[in-house]
Amino acid sequence: MIFQGQNKYFYLLVLKSTFAPQMNFSRHLQKTVFRAVQQAALEQHAEAFVIGGYVRDLMLKRLNKDIDIVTSGDGPALANRTAELLGVKRVSIFANFGTAHFIYKGSEVEFVSARKESYRATSRKPDVEKGTLVDDQMRRDFTVNAMALSLQEDSFGDLVDPFNGLLDLENKILRTPLEPAITYSDDPLRMMRAVRFAAQLNFTIEEKSLLAIKENAARLEIVSVERTMVEFNKILLAKKPSVGLKLLFDTELLHQFFPEMVKLHGVEKKNNYAHKDNFYHTLEVVDNLRANTNNLWLLWGAVLHDIAKPHTKRFEDGIGWTFHGHEDVGARWVPKIFQRLKLPLDHQMKFVQKLVALHLRPIALTKDEISDSAVRRLLFEAGDDIDDLMLLCQADITSKNESKVKRYLANYEKVKLKLVELEEKDRVRNFQPPVSGELVMETFQLQPCKEVGEIKNAIKDAILDGKIQNNYEEAFAFMIELGKALNLVPKN
Ligand code: CTP
């Protein structure tokens, strides 16, 4: 029997289990933790079920380490006793929410008391009222996330699926257990989750759900930007991120937190010249890159590489559309975008900024005869991020003109070879000037002044331009020459 709650869903469930063959998944519930929950629940005269993402992923044969348990009893009490049986010392309890969790063998095990949730309009924090299993299931986001498996002795592993999640899973459809407007207004983050699951699992969002998202997109306002970005980042790491990014645009969820990206959308035409749609181009670059990387921040480089194109767009007679300096303006925008979206501001942001600033450089190299000096400069500026930069630039080749793409890619291989060759020879990738500012000051008996900086820079340029070798002897001799030109006399 499914809890003691007396509501129509309860009777529906009984009816369903009378006519539908009971599906049992006990062979998939072999973990010690499930047996411990079973025993603890028995002792506490409560019922317990594993529910949500764990069950969904079990059916989809996806790995999910996080286990959610729902109980007719008290979530924290069940968590405490289960932890005791497993020998787990630390249990975190959130009494106000009736939830508790602990870590066991690398899995996060979370316990909740079954509840009827109602959310306040201005916040995501729920007022909690005790409910039945079905109450709990119907307040969840999607039918595929509302399936539960019994942990009771007599029904261990039985599927409890009052909203036909299994069927939706087979049909790859995201449907809300209640009217979509209710489910989404209960927790607007679910609109982002819908898009994320659609991208991650390659599911379709049910039509009326999609409409409800469009209508309620502005409600994302009450969701913290950190939570929104968790979903956005998961979309970027989906196999084909463009599926989710396009859905975000179409539903106008993107408009709520990322206006710069929305502005990339659209094509302008003048005197028969049309520029490409930079939004769809960006999506293509992200997809291309995703095929070759799991690095989230490299994918952010793709998202932002052309972000300042709308801002720098000009029409020049006889030339057409230009976007001069979009890489520099874009790089300058990166910190403020990261700050607003509460993304990490340290090395990850610096890395993305570097990618945006340098994203045209390898492609520019392929256009001319490749000079050693230009390649050395690129190596010097990109440092250890050169390989990631090359991946981004390769993904950026999205022309429909096949022969153009072929030519670019062939030239690209040449640049890559040159990069390897020069790095082996000159070691400029992590270039440290062989002559330091201190040595310049000591040699010419100078206090810190602008000449010191000029000499250091001139030495660096001479190395990058291949005028001198990257070693102490040649750099020192060159410094003496520079000093002479500035009327500086070296000490004996
Ligand atoms: N849930 C919900 N509404 C939310 C978040 C979660 O109804 N806004 C419910 C769903 O039943 C979900 C379960 O809580 O399956 C667990 O949520 P969570 O761990 O955040 O997500 P998963 O569905 O497990 O998916 P993933 O692990 O991929 O995030």
Side-chain angles (χ1 to χ4, degrees):
M1 194 164 83
I2 311 302
F3 293 0
Q4 302 303 316
Q6 301 296 304
N7 64 28
K8 65 179 178 176
Y9 291 99
F10 169 71
Y11 293 111
L12 270 177
L13 261 182
V14 175
L15 268 178
K16 193 173 172 233
S17 58
T18 313
F19 296 115
Q22 191 60 63
M23 299 191 70
N24 187 280
F25 294 84
S26 56
R27 69 180 190 288
H28 297 289
L29 299 179
Q30 294 307 318
K31 290 180 192 273
T32 330
V33 66
F34 295 122
R35 288 293 174 188
V37 175
Q38 181 189 53
Q39 188 184 326
L42 191 69
E43 287 173 20
Q44 296 180 356
H45 307 290
E47 291 188 318
F49 297 80
V50 53
I51 193 164
Y54 189 86
V55 180
R56 175 200 69 222
D57 288 342
L58 190 91
M59 311 287 176
L60 288 171
K61 300 191 172 59
R62 285 174 93 223
L63 181 73
N64 189 333
K65 295 186 88 159
D66 298 341
I67 299 172
D68 289 327
I69 304 289
V70 60
T71 175
S72 60
D74 180 56
L78 187 66
N80 276 331
R81 179 62 186 137
T82 308
E84 212 169 73
L85 289 169
L86 293 168
V88 172
K89 299 271 177 307
R90 241 183 81 97
V91 181
S92 313
I93 295 191
F94 305 92
N96 289 350
F97 290 87
T99 69
H101 67 88
F102 58 75
I103 309 279
Y104 179 68
K105 292 196 172 162
S107 281
E108 185 163 334
V109 192
E110 172 140 4
F111 293 75
V112 321
S113 314
R115 54 201 167 176
K116 284 184 190 163
E117 271 174 6
S118 59
Y119 287 76
R120 281 176 241 117
T122 52
S123 144
R124 287 189 65 244
K125 309 236 164 29
D127 290 325
V128 180
E129 197 189 315
K130 233 172 171 233
T132 65
L133 172 64
V134 184
D135 285 333
D136 192 284
Q137 287 174 299
M138 78 171 117
R139 303 308 308 201
R140 286 178 182 261
D141 52 3
F142 304 106
T143 59
V144 294
N145 285 344
M147 294 182 279
L149 295 178
S150 166
L151 297 179
Q152 278 53 254
E153 178 89 70
D154 56 352
S155 55
F156 193 80
D158 278 1
L159 174 68
V160 187
D161 182 21
F163 302 102
N164 285 321
L166 195 56
L167 191 67
D168 289 342
L169 199 109
E170 274 162 22
N171 294 327
K172 293 177 162 252
I173 188 137
L174 288 163
R175 208 161 51 81
T176 53
L178 297 176
E179 272 306 305
I182 298 175
T183 300
Y184 294 130
S185 86
D186 273 358
D187 179 0
L189 177 69
R190 290 168 171 171
M191 299 187 285
M192 288 294 297
R193 282 171 62 88
V195 174
R196 186 257 288 191
F197 285 123
Q200 218 174 31
L201 305 175
N202 196 19
F203 277 31
T204 309
I205 303 174
E206 189 195 28
E207 193 57 36
K208 68 173 179 176
S209 215
L210 206 55
L211 278 175
I213 297 177
K214 279 185 193 157
E215 275 163 22
N216 291 288
R219 289 266 296 153
L220 198 63
E221 173 194 60
I222 67 162
V223 174
S224 75
V225 69
E226 288 90 340
R227 297 185 92 116
T228 300
M229 294 324 287
V230 167
E231 299 304 326
F232 188 84
N233 287 343
K234 285 185 179 175
I235 291 169
L236 287 183
L237 289 168
K239 217 168 164 188
K240 202 168 169 217
S242 62
V243 171
L245 296 171
K246 186 168 176 328
L247 273 171
L248 287 181
F249 180 84
D250 292 343
T251 53
E252 298 197 4
L253 285 167
L254 194 66
H255 302 52
Q256 314 304 316
F257 63 94
F258 209 164
E260 298 90 342
M261 195 172 174
V262 172
K263 270 201 161 170
L264 290 171
H265 189 271
V267 174
E268 210 173 325
K269 201 171 172 187
K270 209 167 174 177
N271 304 351
N272 274 335
Y273 287 102
H275 62 76
K276 64 181 160 197
D277 185 311
N278 289 306
F279 180 77
Y280 291 107
H281 164 70
T282 296
L283 264 47
E284 229 181 307
V285 179
V286 177
D287 277 355
N288 287 347
L289 192 55
R290 181 65 185 98
N292 293 312
T293 189
N294 294 322
N295 179 345
L296 176 66
W297 305 109
L298 179 51
L299 293 166
W300 265 100
V303 170
L304 293 175
H305 78 290
D306 279 347
I307 201 71
K309 268 198 167 173
H311 183 79
T312 55
K313 182 167 87 173
R314 303 273 176 280
F315 186 81
E316 293 180 35
D317 286 328
I319 298 179
W321 295 101
T322 63
F323 306 90
H324 292 310
H326 74 272
E327 68 283 20
D328 293 328
V329 179
R332 258 183 274 131
W333 286 4
V334 173
K336 71 171 189 184
I337 292 176
F338 264 51
Q339 195 161 32
R340 193 190 69 230
L341 298 177
K342 303 258 168 66
L343 294 169
L345 290 172
D346 29 6
H347 62 277
Q348 295 92 333
M349 188 276 283
K350 293 256 151 42
F351 169 70
V352 174
Q353 195 173 29
K354 189 195 266 186
L355 292 172
V356 175
L358 297 180
H359 81 271
L360 295 178
R361 296 278 291 278
I363 241 345
L365 283 181
T366 67
K367 284 184 185 145
D368 314 310
E369 203 40 46
I370 310 167
S371 78
D372 284 6
S373 148
V375 175
R376 264 195 224 100
R377 274 178 193 281
L378 180 61
L379 264 172
F380 172 66
E381 284 174 54
D384 278 341
D385 301 320
I386 187 72
D387 296 335
D388 286 335
L389 178 68
M390 292 300 281
L391 279 177
L392 169 62
C393 296
Q394 196 159 332
D396 197 10
I397 304 170
T398 63
S399 165
K400 298 279 170 285
N401 180 336
E402 268 185 43
S403 72
K404 207 165 157 185
V405 171
K406 254 194 187 151
R407 185 158 34 90
Y408 270 152
L409 289 175
N411 281 344
Y412 226 72
E413 289 309 310
K414 279 195 213 154
V415 175
K416 275 195 195 160
L417 282 176
K418 197 96 190 164
L419 280 166
V420 174
E421 187 192 306
L422 281 183
E423 175 56 17
E424 270 174 14
K425 189 156 82 70
D426 299 344
R427 293 167 290 110
V428 279
R429 189 170 174 145
N430 285 312
F431 175 71
Q432 291 296 333
V435 167
S436 67
E438 283 75 31
L439 186 67
V440 177
M441 289 193 283
E442 203 194 311
T443 311
F444 297 114
Q445 298 193 307
L446 293 170
Q447 294 298 312
C449 61
K450 117 171 172 289
E451 281 80 7
V452 178
E454 280 172 9
I455 292 174
K456 267 183 65 186
N457 263 336
I459 296 171
K460 181 195 84 187
D461 286 344
I463 294 172
L464 294 177
D465 290 339
K467 287 188 189 139
I468 59 170
Q469 291 291 305
N470 183 15
N471 63 42
Y472 177 81
E473 288 72 27
E474 291 200 25
F476 191 85
F478 189 69
M479 173 184 74
I480 299 294
E481 289 305 309
L482 287 169
K484 270 189 205 157
L486 291 168
N487 289 329
L488 298 171
V489 186
K491 75 167 187 193
N492 292 322

